[in-house]
Amino acid sequence: MLKLTIVVRSIVVVAAMLAPAGVWAQQPLKIFDAHLHYNQEPNPFYPLDKVLEVFRRNGVAGIVANSRPNKGTHQLVDAKAPGLWVVPFIRPYRTRDDVQNWSTDPAIYELIQNEYKRGYYRGVGEFHIYGRGAEAPLVKQAVDFAVERNLYILAHCDEPALLILFGHNPKAKIIWAHTGFSTPPERVRELLETYPALWGELSYRSGVTDSSGNLAAEWRALFTRYSDRFVLGSDTWINERWFGYDTIMKNYRAWLAQLPEDQAKRIAHGNAERLFGGKVE
Ligand SMILES: [Zn+2]
């Protein structure tokens, strides 16, 4: 009898070991795309109904809407698409040139103020800023503007610029686009520790998985400790990203499925729900 019990126990243990880590993920996981551009210069790559269809077929139930110029964001808000929660961010760009020049052009501050009057914005960005370029007075103005109105900042920046942004106003709430691209995970951990109002967005972030798609040990450890501090994004900054949207989301799902369910859900949509006070459905 004892022997049989041991055998049965062994079978149960072996069965548990053989179960794929991501069994929970058989339920389609809703994704919040926290770095989305619907750029139009002058025409978008996809018309609005096609964009909404791309979200639907990928289980994307929420987005940070952001575009150059802001017209694309207005359209996404006005669409009131069923099953799509839209969180609009003010883009401080009118044209591609503004990516380089926004931080020294006073007209951009006016643009931010005027856009804000629409009343529905939850953030400022994505904007690009590097090194001591972040010291420009207009950058501080933009950071202060965001803090005074309880807006998030979506910043595409290097680490020196990130530190300057927080130096401008320690109350800033910053979503770090691409989580520094290649900043060592150990340093990312320190920054998350130092700045409680810092979140990492993971598009183009290198090193999260190896070339076979397996979650890297250092990222698994980072997510175990800080699963409440990361969000996903498509960063559809060029047409190719729209073309590759399905693959981008498939790749996210592949490594999310290697995490415990609670961590994966936070990164997929739970953190966005907490930050922006809404729900993906
Ligand atoms: Zn972007």
Side-chain angles (χ1 to χ4, degrees):
M1 193 60 200
L2 181 63
K3 200 171 175 189
L4 181 66
T5 308
I6 290 169
V7 169
V8 169
R9 275 201 192 139
S10 305
I11 289 169
V12 170
V13 169
V14 169
M17 284 166 67
L18 288 176
V23 164
W24 60 264
Q26 284 166 2
Q27 298 296 326
L29 189 59
K30 294 286 183 193
I31 287 181
F32 185 97
D33 183 345
H35 187 161
L36 184 281
H37 303 294
Y38 188 37
N39 291 337
Q40 319 201 356
E41 294 175 320
N43 297 311
F45 181 59
Y46 284 150
L48 189 61
D49 57 344
K50 173 81 176 172
V51 165
L52 298 176
E53 155 58 19
V54 169
F55 296 147
R56 263 194 303 274
R57 74 166 179 248
N58 282 286
V60 170
I63 55 169
V64 159
N66 195 231
S67 73
R68 186 187 66 230
N70 286 285
K71 179 182 160 202
T73 299
H74 308 159
Q75 290 176 345
L76 286 165
V77 172
D78 294 342
K80 296 190 168 55
L84 184 70
W85 172 35
V86 177
V87 179
F89 274 36
I90 301 170
R91 192 119 216 240
Y93 302 159
R94 299 153 300 188
T95 63
R96 198 175 278 257
D97 285 349
D98 288 334
V99 177
Q100 304 296 327
N101 304 326
W102 74 274
S103 62
T104 51
D105 182 350
I108 295 297
Y109 191 64
E110 276 176 51
L111 181 161
I112 294 172
Q113 289 173 305
N114 287 333
E115 272 302 314
Y116 181 73
K117 288 180 188 147
R118 289 178 178 267
Y120 50 55
Y121 282 105
R122 304 297 311 281
V124 176
E126 182 198 23
F127 60 66
H128 298 68
I129 203 78
Y130 306 97
R132 297 192 60 182
E135 290 175 352
L138 202 149
V139 177
K140 175 165 170 53
Q141 267 185 300
V143 172
D144 288 339
F145 183 94
V147 170
E148 282 157 20
R149 287 155 190 83
N150 200 25
L151 301 172
Y152 290 87
I153 293 166
L154 178 57
H156 175 135
C157 61
D158 53 14
E159 188 190 323
L162 181 71
L163 302 185
I164 293 168
L165 294 178
F166 277 120
H168 283 325
N169 195 321
K171 289 187 181 148
K173 297 188 291 184
I174 301 180
I175 300 169
W176 195 11
H178 320 295
T179 315
F181 287 102
S182 59
T183 305
E186 201 40 52
R187 182 60 187 148
V188 172
R189 175 190 286 263
E190 286 172 6
L191 290 166
L192 292 172
E193 190 71 46
T194 307
Y195 300 102
L198 174 67
W199 294 267
E201 181 276 321
L202 292 167
S203 61
Y204 287 104
R205 172 62 226 200
S206 67
V208 176
T209 62
D210 65 19
S211 55
S212 317
N214 298 310
L215 204 53
E218 49 198 352
W219 279 91
R220 184 184 290 279
L222 199 51
F223 292 144
T224 301
R225 176 72 181 83
Y226 286 112
S227 64
D228 56 342
R229 305 287 289 279
F230 290 96
V231 292
L232 306 177
S234 60
D235 192 13
T236 46
W237 66 290
I238 45 171
N239 294 342
E240 285 74 15
R241 297 289 284 182
W242 280 114
F243 193 68
Y245 198 94
D246 297 5
T247 308
I248 294 166
M249 291 303 150
K250 194 170 145 246
N251 289 342
Y252 278 139
R253 288 178 192 283
W255 64 251
L256 285 171
Q258 298 169 46
L259 287 171
E261 181 173 10
D262 57 338
Q263 295 177 26
K265 281 188 170 165
R266 274 184 213 117
I267 296 167
H269 61 251
N271 295 332
E273 289 179 330
R274 209 181 63 251
L275 263 65
F276 305 127
K279 211 131 189 74
V280 299
E281 310 210 346

